[in-house]
Amino acid sequence: MTIAIYSRKSKFTGKGDSIANQIEMCRQRAQQYMTLKNISESDAKILVYEDEGFSGKNTARPEFQKMLAAVKVGEIDCVICYKLDRISRNVGDFAQTYETFEKHRVDFLCAGETYDTTTPAGRAMMGMVSVFAQMEREVTAERIRDNMHLLARSGRWLGGHTPTGFQSSKEERVDVEGKTRSAFKLVPVKKEMELVEFIYQKFMELQSVSGTMRYLVQHSIRTKNGNDFTNIAVRELLRNPVYCIAGQEAGDYFREKDADICFEENELDNKHGFMPYNRTSSGKDRQTKNEISDWLISVGKHEGIIEPSMWVKIQRILDAKRVKAKSIVRTPYKSEALLSGLLVCGQCKSAMRPHVHAKRKNAEGIIPYYYICELKERSSKARCEMCNANGAVLDKVILDELMNYEREDSSIHHSLRELKERLANKKESENDKLGFLESELEVKRKQIDKLLDALGAGGGEQDTFVELTRQRINALADQCKQLENEIEKTALNNTIYTDYESQTKAVSDTLKKLKETINTATVVEKRELLRSTIERIVWDGEQAYIFLLGE
């Protein structure tokens, strides 16, 4: 019998339903459960899973997922938590979790609430309580949103990713009650702002997001973080109202788009910039862009730099392109390329992605594809001229090499054997070093013990003897400390080499699995097997170099 205790708390307080208190109450509930099932303590094992600092809004918690994995493989018979909302405050997540428990015949108990999951009434009560837990979370979230809306109408910078061209500046003031209040505003960064103006001008010239991006990449003009611009980064910058001067034309555009207007007409002073809020929403897995009708628009405390007429004109262009893109029905082609995410350009180190000739077929009736360097494509060969790799040919060569990994003349076979030998030698060397260090530490400690005995017995001129002995003990203590650090470092290296050995064995096992299933595996399954074996493949224009995991 294995019982899992799960505890969670969003913040550490040391009070109330702290992690320690939750676990203690769950242990008491476990004792009651074992008594009811007539199970002795010697026949039961209790596992504790703790998630400190994680919210219950979703199940993306490391210890919780670890516990679920154990449930799914049949290692747990019963799960106990303090209250239902420790599992989740979301009805959907809780229902899914409870279905997993039922599917694997795992009992579920609450220490702070009396529920019997074996009866319909108990299951119904759990569902009701989880509904109220979600309602509490949604009410709290609504209060937060209302507060954010109130702050938005003040035009303050509320934090988050600072737009290019600005930095966040903190301002403090003392209110009527004598309390110090903090607020933030955007302060322009001259060099970055010049880049923003240049990008707006370049887009007006080219009237193309991809054309603007290509120009920036070709001329090595990078983002404030030092990365190459992408279409997404350029479009985000052009769409951001933070750069637009608050004028009547821009105000009319936001009304036309049904945005939530948080300013009065007299605030459109043709000086300050707009401050947008609620441009994105946090979903279960990722952030999504909201429509302009969901935005809150106020006039900020910073000055704008793009004329309203120019900014609105750019939005019209982008809106038209978006409508056109939506009207085109595209049937995505499922590429047969196996090396996506693994192939790297040997010249510029950029990823190489598959490019498909969807309208062409070769003599065998197969749609051809090739791998092209992303930097070469985005810069139109200005910053990289790596020749493309024939996709079908390269995939076949790589697979053939992997399939024949057991052959003596195989480079992979040679590489794996060499890696194993190298790791074994290093591990043996570290073991020898560890044994020597531990024996040295033992000698030093014995010397200290002898000196302490001598110090206790006294001898010679007392003051001189005590001082010299103390100095010698201190010196030996320092040496012991150095040896302990070396032992810890060596033991860690030994653990790392052991992990590498396990990883090397895993690579061999995966290669064996790949060989056994290659003929029946789908393209997606083949890709996953390759990713679990290979760290990267470097293409130099003529040859491909395979780097296995652990090398």
Side-chain angles (χ1 to χ4, degrees):
M1 168 67 70
T2 302
I3 300 172
I5 291 176
Y6 179 73
S7 58
R8 177 192 67 77
K9 190 157 188 178
S10 301
K11 294 181 180 178
F12 174 77
T13 60
K15 302 176 182 178
D17 56 348
S18 68
I19 291 287
N21 291 345
Q22 289 180 43
I23 293 173
E24 180 57 33
M25 291 187 68
C26 289
R27 285 190 183 278
Q28 294 174 15
R29 186 71 177 91
Q31 291 292 334
Q32 297 172 6
Y33 175 77
M34 287 188 290
T35 301
L36 183 65
K37 294 284 186 178
N38 196 25
I39 298 169
S40 65
E41 290 189 23
S42 60
D43 294 330
K45 180 170 67 172
I46 296 179
L47 304 176
V48 178
Y49 297 89
E50 304 175 17
D51 277 317
E52 181 86 47
F54 287 89
S55 168
K57 67 180 181 180
N58 57 45
T59 58
R61 292 165 252 144
E63 287 295 295
F64 182 80
Q65 291 300 326
K66 185 178 176 182
M67 180 186 73
L68 272 188
V71 166
K72 290 175 182 178
V73 296
E75 294 178 355
I76 292 176
D77 301 294
C78 176
V79 173
I80 303 177
C81 69
Y82 171 55
K83 289 183 179 180
L84 290 186
D85 63 1
R86 299 303 89 191
I87 295 293
S88 179
R89 293 182 183 273
N90 180 282
V91 175
D93 287 340
F94 178 80
Q96 189 174 11
T97 301
Y98 185 62
E99 283 179 9
T100 301
F101 292 161
E102 284 191 313
K103 179 180 178 181
H104 297 278
R105 298 180 180 181
V106 173
D107 291 337
F108 175 64
L109 307 172
C110 288
E113 298 156 340
T114 54
Y115 298 112
D116 183 356
T117 62
T118 62
T119 65
R123 290 193 291 271
M125 282 298 294
M126 283 200 297
M128 291 173 60
V129 171
S130 63
V131 168
F132 285 113
Q134 182 176 0
M135 185 180 73
E136 178 187 355
R137 176 174 169 261
E138 289 177 351
V139 168
T140 302
E142 187 175 345
R143 288 173 182 164
I144 293 172
R145 281 197 300 270
D146 290 342
N147 188 41
M148 290 288 284
H149 284 198
L150 184 63
L151 290 172
R153 294 179 187 279
S154 69
R156 299 179 190 174
W157 170 247
L158 301 183
H161 180 70
T162 310
T164 300
F166 295 99
Q167 63 183 11
S168 179
S169 176
K170 184 178 180 180
E171 293 181 333
E172 293 184 345
R173 63 181 179 82
V174 179
D175 62 14
V176 292
E177 297 178 357
K179 296 181 179 179
T180 301
R181 304 289 184 184
S182 297
F184 294 85
K185 73 172 186 177
L186 295 177
V187 176
V189 179
K190 184 179 179 182
K191 188 175 181 179
E192 290 182 17
M193 201 62 83
E194 290 173 352
L195 172 60
V196 171
E197 290 184 280
F198 175 80
I199 292 173
Y200 270 82
Q201 292 293 342
K202 182 56 65 175
F203 179 83
M204 288 299 295
E205 174 190 331
L206 302 174
Q207 298 203 5
S208 166
V209 171
S210 59
T212 304
M213 178 276 296
R214 192 173 296 111
Y215 179 91
L216 296 171
V217 174
Q218 286 175 342
H219 292 80
S220 299
I221 300 173
R222 294 184 169 86
T223 67
K224 66 178 183 178
N225 297 322
N227 301 319
D228 284 320
F229 273 95
T230 62
N231 283 337
I232 294 174
V234 172
R235 188 179 291 106
E236 170 66 18
L237 192 143
L238 295 171
R239 281 289 195 185
N240 200 333
V242 75
Y243 305 111
C244 179
I245 296 171
Q248 189 63 51
E249 190 172 351
D252 292 341
Y253 175 81
F254 290 122
R255 289 191 185 87
E256 175 191 326
K257 297 294 183 180
D258 293 324
D260 189 348
I261 304 299
C262 303
F263 56 81
E264 302 295 335
E265 287 297 314
N266 58 7
E267 292 183 73
L268 299 175
D269 57 3
N270 290 302
K271 178 182 178 184
H272 290 92
F274 286 107
M275 186 65 76
Y277 304 92
N278 200 40
R279 293 182 68 211
T280 60
S281 294
S282 297
K284 193 170 182 179
D285 301 314
R286 60 190 179 91
Q287 281 197 332
T288 56
K289 298 286 184 183
N290 291 333
E291 296 293 333
I292 297 181
S293 57
D294 296 320
W295 293 7
L296 284 79
I297 301 291
S298 66
V299 177
K301 307 297 182 184
H302 65 284
E303 292 187 5
I305 60 165
I306 305 299
E307 289 296 328
S309 57
M310 180 180 179
W311 192 84
V312 171
K313 185 175 181 179
I314 288 175
Q315 305 317 302
R316 302 285 186 200
I317 294 171
L318 294 174
D319 290 343
K321 289 180 180 292
R322 184 184 182 193
V323 171
K324 183 178 179 181
K326 282 186 174 181
S327 66
I328 300 173
V329 178
R330 292 186 176 92
T331 302
Y333 173 74
K334 295 181 180 179
S335 172
E336 297 293 318
L338 298 179
L339 307 183
S340 300
L342 290 174
L343 197 60
V344 176
C345 173
Q347 180 177 327
C348 68
K349 311 306 178 189
S350 297
M352 296 187 70
R353 69 172 188 83
H355 185 88
V356 180
H357 288 294
K359 296 181 179 180
R360 287 172 45 196
K361 290 185 179 181
N362 59 23
E364 290 78 30
I366 298 172
I367 298 175
Y369 62 94
Y370 58 87
Y371 294 101
I372 181 171
C373 171
E374 288 189 349
L375 183 59
K376 170 187 174 179
E377 186 178 34
R378 289 195 288 124
S379 67
S380 296
K381 300 183 181 180
R383 289 176 54 194
C384 183
E385 297 181 346
M386 174 60 67
C387 65
N388 302 334
N390 186 307
V393 173
L394 186 58
D395 286 0
K396 184 178 184 304
V397 170
I398 296 295
L399 274 182
D400 287 347
E401 183 68 25
L402 294 173
M403 292 304 95
N404 296 311
Y405 78 99
E406 291 177 308
R407 278 189 351 212
E408 286 293 329
D409 60 343
S410 165
S411 59
I412 291 181
H413 178 82
H414 175 74
S415 178
L416 281 173
R417 185 176 61 192
E418 188 181 73
L419 183 59
K420 288 176 182 177
E421 291 174 355
R422 190 163 66 245
L423 288 172
N425 291 335
K426 286 185 175 180
K427 189 175 179 182
E428 184 179 354
S429 174
E430 291 297 318
N431 279 332
D432 291 342
K433 183 179 179 182
L434 188 62
F436 172 77
L437 291 171
E438 287 176 342
S439 62
E440 280 290 297
L441 180 62
E442 184 64 24
V443 169
K444 301 294 183 188
R445 285 174 174 169
K446 286 180 179 179
Q447 290 177 355
I448 290 176
D449 290 340
K450 288 180 181 180
L451 289 171
L452 288 172
D453 291 341
L455 190 63
E461 293 184 69
Q462 193 68 17
D463 290 344
T464 304
F465 171 75
V466 168
E467 181 59 29
L468 290 173
T469 304
R470 185 184 292 113
Q471 291 176 8
R472 180 58 181 157
I473 290 173
N474 289 338
L476 287 169
D478 290 339
Q479 293 172 21
C480 285
K481 186 64 177 176
Q482 291 175 4
L483 286 168
E484 288 170 355
N485 291 337
E486 280 293 311
I487 288 172
E488 184 178 353
K489 183 179 177 182
T490 305
L492 179 61
N493 287 339
N494 213 341
T495 303
I496 292 172
Y497 293 138
T498 302
D499 289 343
Y500 280 158
E501 285 182 331
S502 301
Q503 195 175 40
T504 304
K505 183 180 183 303
V507 169
S508 298
D509 292 343
T510 308
L511 285 170
K512 184 179 179 181
K513 184 179 179 182
L514 180 65
K515 187 174 181 178
E516 293 170 350
T517 61
I518 192 67
N519 294 325
T520 57
T522 65
V523 172
V524 174
E525 289 170 341
K526 289 176 183 177
R527 285 185 191 134
E528 289 305 314
L529 285 168
L530 290 175
R531 287 187 176 92
S532 62
T533 309
I534 299 171
E535 181 179 310
R536 69 186 185 281
I537 301 171
V538 179
W539 171 250
D540 70 358
E542 294 182 358
Q543 299 185 48
Y545 299 86
I546 302 174
F547 290 82
L548 298 175
L549 289 172
E551 282 199 271

